[in-house]
């Protein structure tokens, strides 16, 4: 018997995804496709009659706007929303803004492979010379972060390490009070939560790419252990595709 | 001495505004025009370089939608948005859903004038038989308020709006302002008016003559006791502001059909 239900949603395509650029903490907006994905996700939640008591998101607009589209679709715009940098996407450091070709050209294929395959090796730091240093590191929204907290780059391990305290200290208590929670965030911050919930290994979580714009539902027992695998909400076709895509990931040769 | 800045915004057109019906606690979203009003407001605030630290709204969708559109236009989606029923529009009781013509024909011109113009006369309460009663009180949001749903208003005078707004202003909004945070309150015609009355020290008689245009940001400058130190400023293009003021005044004048 599920004591609790938790819903996660990963935002859809951003303007930079379209260009295949490392986005990270750059505050890219949703593309038109990404907006459609969010609306579709909202519709799926509406069709399934989901109600929420509290929502969490990052301080990046692509996640926040996704949440707004969802809340609008399900007519729950009044539900409290909490935003935190701790749910931000992984910080790609010096790679921020580069596309795949540029990255390979700048750092070499071998190095890129290492970064992609590694759980705990961070990309190069974003230094003051970087095009996006001012607009990211000096942005007003990060004004309250200490020097130790504000990253200049992150490995997946780092991302998870700063996301989990927020999960444990802010979100878990709400779930345990019986509040129905929706989290709208990013591929890597959500990986942190999923890895923790399912007790996945580092290798396993690196293989997992969560589908975008599709509500992901966990039924949890009273100790917040999932009672089964994550479920996707949507029309039959969408759900089937998402499940197949996830299943294929583990097998894909890189 | 001006110490703090505060921004108020009355949301733009909702579907019922077009029909001149009292929307009040019925939850309507913005019309396309209302969306544009919010977007334009955000654009203006962005051009003038304003930066918000926190936004307060009611729990009615149209004020929240307005806040979201403004923040989007400003690229400040990350700013916290805090919602409370205490910023809701005035509760019009039994008059909810009626348009101004219907009201006059059902209750008489004099009564309607009294309810709209007086400070402390409460309209007749909404009761269980009212077409919108269940839509309002069965809505889950009203079971999440800091007052049990059975104790929420069934009708309000403007005075009663201020009575339920003021504790929120004092306990929740003021501390933010005193921390030096730039606050935007995205709310409704009457909740904004009630707050203005308090901040500007407007008399019970004079408040009847005060209306805020929709979609125009209002800048207040407050002293350390959070009282207004200069006349409120409506921001933006003067022609646009005048048009917005006229629009609201014309609505108020709508003649009942014979």
């Amino acid at each position: 018997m599920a004591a609790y239900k938790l819903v996660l949603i990963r935002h859809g395509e951003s303007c930079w995804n379209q260009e295949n650029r490392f986005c990270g903490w750059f505050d890219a907006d949703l593309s038109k496709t990404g907006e459609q994905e969010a609306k579709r996700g909202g519709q799926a939640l509406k069709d399934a009659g989901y109600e929420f008591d509290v929502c969490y998101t990052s301080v990046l607009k692509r996640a926040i706007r996704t949440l707004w589209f969802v809340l609008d679709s399900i007519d729950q715009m009044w539900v409290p929303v909490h935003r935190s940098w701790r749910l931000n996407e992984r910080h790609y450091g010096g790679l921020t803004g580069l596309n795949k070709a540029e990255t390979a050209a700048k750092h070499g294929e071998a190095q890129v492979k290492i970064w992609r395959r590694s759980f705990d090796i961070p990309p190069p730091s974003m230094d003051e010379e970087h095009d996006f240093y001012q607009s990211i590191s000096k942005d007003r929204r990060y004004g309250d972060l200490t020097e130790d907290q504000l990253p200049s780059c992150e490995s997946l391990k780092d991302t998870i390490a700063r996301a989990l305290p927020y999960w444990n200290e802010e979100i878990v208590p709400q779930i345990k009070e019986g509040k129905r929670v929706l989290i709208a965030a990013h591929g890597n911050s959500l990986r942190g939560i999923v890895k923790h919930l399912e007790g996945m290994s580092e290798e396993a979580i690196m293989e997992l790419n969560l589908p975008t714009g599709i509500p992901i539902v966990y039924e949890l027992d009273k100790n917040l252990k999932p009672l089964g695998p994550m479920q996707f909400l949507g029309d039959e076709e969408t759900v089937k595709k998402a499940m197949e895509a996830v299943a294929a990931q583990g097998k894909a040769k890189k | 001495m001006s110490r703090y800045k505060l921004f108020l915004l009355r949301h733009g057109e909702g579907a019922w505004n077009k029909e001149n019906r009292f929307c009040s606690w019925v939850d309507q979203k913005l019309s396309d025009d209302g969306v544009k009003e919010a977007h334009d407001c955000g654009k203006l605030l962005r051009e003038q370089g304003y930066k918000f630290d926190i936004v307060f709204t009611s729990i009615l969708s149209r004020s929240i939608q307005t806040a979201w559109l403004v923040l989007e236009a400003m690229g400040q989606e990350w700013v916290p948005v805090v919602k409370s029923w205490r910023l809701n529009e005035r509760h019009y009781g039994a008059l909810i859903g009626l348009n101004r013509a219907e009201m006059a024909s059902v209750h008489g011109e004099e009564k309607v004038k009294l309810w709209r113009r007086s400070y402390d006369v409460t309209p007749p309460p909404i009761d269980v038989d009212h077409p919108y009663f269940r839509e309002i009180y069965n809505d889950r949001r009203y079971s999440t308020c800091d007052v049990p749903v059975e104790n929420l208003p069934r009708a309000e005078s403007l005075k009663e709006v201020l009575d339920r707004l003021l504790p929120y202003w004092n306990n929740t909004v003021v501390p933010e302002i005193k921390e030096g945070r730039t606050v935007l309150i995205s709310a409704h015609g009457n909740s904004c008016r009630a707050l203005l009355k308090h901040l500007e020290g407007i008399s019970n008689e004079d408040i009847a003559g005060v209306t805020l245009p929709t979609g125009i940001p209002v800048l207040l400058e407050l002293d350390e006791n959070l009282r207004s130190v200069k006349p409120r400023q409506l921001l933006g293009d003067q022609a646009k502001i005048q048009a917005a003021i006229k629009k609201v005044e014309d609505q108020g004048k709508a003649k009942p059909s014979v």
Side-chain angles (χ1 to χ4, degrees), chain A residues 27 29 61 65 68 139-141, chain B residues 7 9 37-55 66-79 81 182-186 217 235:
Chain A
D27 202 11
D29 207 348
K61 68 177 73 173
R65 291 191 68 224
W68 286 356
D139 191 288
R140 188 166 66 95
R141 81 195 73 184
Chain B
F7 293 80
L9 177 60
E37 284 181 75
H39 178 81
D40 287 349
C41 174
K43 209 163 145 257
L44 172 73
L45 290 168
R46 182 203 185 112
E47 283 161 6
Q48 303 213 344
Y50 291 110
K51 298 173 165 42
F52 294 123
D53 295 304
I54 186 165
V55 179
T66 295
W68 289 358
L69 289 164
V70 167
L71 289 175
E72 243 174 54
M74 299 175 81
Q76 294 178 31
E77 296 91 337
W78 57 270
V79 170
V81 177
T182 306
V183 169
L184 167 66
I185 297 180
S186 168
L235 301 178

Side-chain angles (χ1 to χ4, degrees), chain A residues 90-136:
Chain A
R90 175 179 167 192
H91 192 307
Y92 282 106
L95 304 184
T96 308
L98 300 181
N99 67 25
K100 287 208 163 74
E102 289 165 336
T103 311
K106 188 164 179 182
H107 297 280
E109 294 265 19
Q111 180 63 264
V112 173
K113 218 170 191 175
I114 291 173
W115 284 326
R116 288 181 73 194
R117 296 258 176 98
S118 162
F119 181 70
D120 59 3
I121 299 176
S125 289
M126 173 181 283
D127 60 32
E128 289 174 21
E129 309 299 301
H130 195 284
D131 284 347
F132 295 107
Y133 178 79
Q134 282 292 100
S135 61
I136 295 176

Side-chain angles (χ1 to χ4, degrees), chain A residues 27 51-53 59 61 64-65 68 71-72 75-81 83 139-141 180, chain B residues 29 51-53 59 61 64-65 68 71-72 75-81 83 139-141 144:
Chain A
D27 202 11
E51 290 182 343
F52 297 107
D53 300 304
V59 294
K61 68 177 73 173
I64 299 166
R65 291 191 68 224
W68 286 356
L71 290 177
D72 189 351
D75 247 316
Q76 292 171 49
M77 292 166 80
W78 54 270
V79 173
V81 173
R83 300 154 171 75
D139 191 288
R140 188 166 66 95
R141 81 195 73 184
R180 295 160 297 183
Chain B
K29 293 192 183 159
K51 298 173 165 42
F52 294 123
D53 295 304
I59 56 175
S61 296
I64 301 166
Q65 197 183 1
W68 289 358
L71 289 175
E72 243 174 54
Q76 294 178 31
E77 296 91 337
W78 57 270
V79 170
V81 177
K83 306 154 179 134
D139 191 296
R140 190 164 62 94
R141 79 193 72 193
T144 67

Side-chain angles (χ1 to χ4, degrees), chain B residues 71-106:
Chain B
L71 289 175
E72 243 174 54
M74 299 175 81
Q76 294 178 31
E77 296 91 337
W78 57 270
V79 170
V81 177
V82 177
K83 306 154 179 134
S84 171
W85 75 275
R86 290 178 181 275
L87 289 174
N88 268 19
E89 179 50 298
R90 174 182 173 190
H91 194 308
Y92 266 103
L95 308 183
I96 289 176
L98 300 181
N99 71 25
R100 285 163 177 81
E102 286 166 336
M103 265 201 298
S105 80
V106 171

